[in-house]
Amino acid sequence: MREGQTMRERIYKALIAHYTAQQEDALVKIDALFRGEVVPGHVTLTEDIDKLLGKVADAAEKMAILRKHYGMN
């Protein structure tokens, strides 16, 4: 175990990092789609952005719930 950290703290930090990475990954892809950096003939652009926004929202919601109920304040 890492010096000075409980297993609870390590799990909490790992989950926050995971959700943050999920959000950033989806946001990078959305940015690319908005800039037009897509494969020619890409016809499901709005559907893809909608799905990616869902991933951002899902990760944000999970992070908020984690912080509310298990926060390390």
Side-chain angles (χ1 to χ4, degrees), residues 6-13 15-16 19 62-73:
T6 66
M7 183 58 74
R8 182 180 188 270
E9 290 170 327
R10 290 179 68 198
I11 292 169
Y12 179 85
K13 288 179 181 180
L15 285 168
I16 293 294
Y19 298 140
K62 288 178 181 179
M63 205 176 332
I65 291 168
L66 180 66
R67 286 183 170 139
K68 178 180 178 182
H69 294 283
Y70 302 101
M72 297 289 176
N73 297 336

Side-chain angles (χ1 to χ4, degrees), residues 40-66:
H42 195 273
V43 294
T44 60
L45 188 61
T46 55
E47 289 176 31
D48 290 346
I49 291 172
D50 182 62
K51 288 177 187 174
L52 290 166
L53 286 172
K55 289 181 180 186
V56 172
D58 185 48
E61 182 179 358
K62 288 178 181 179
M63 205 176 332
I65 291 168
L66 180 66

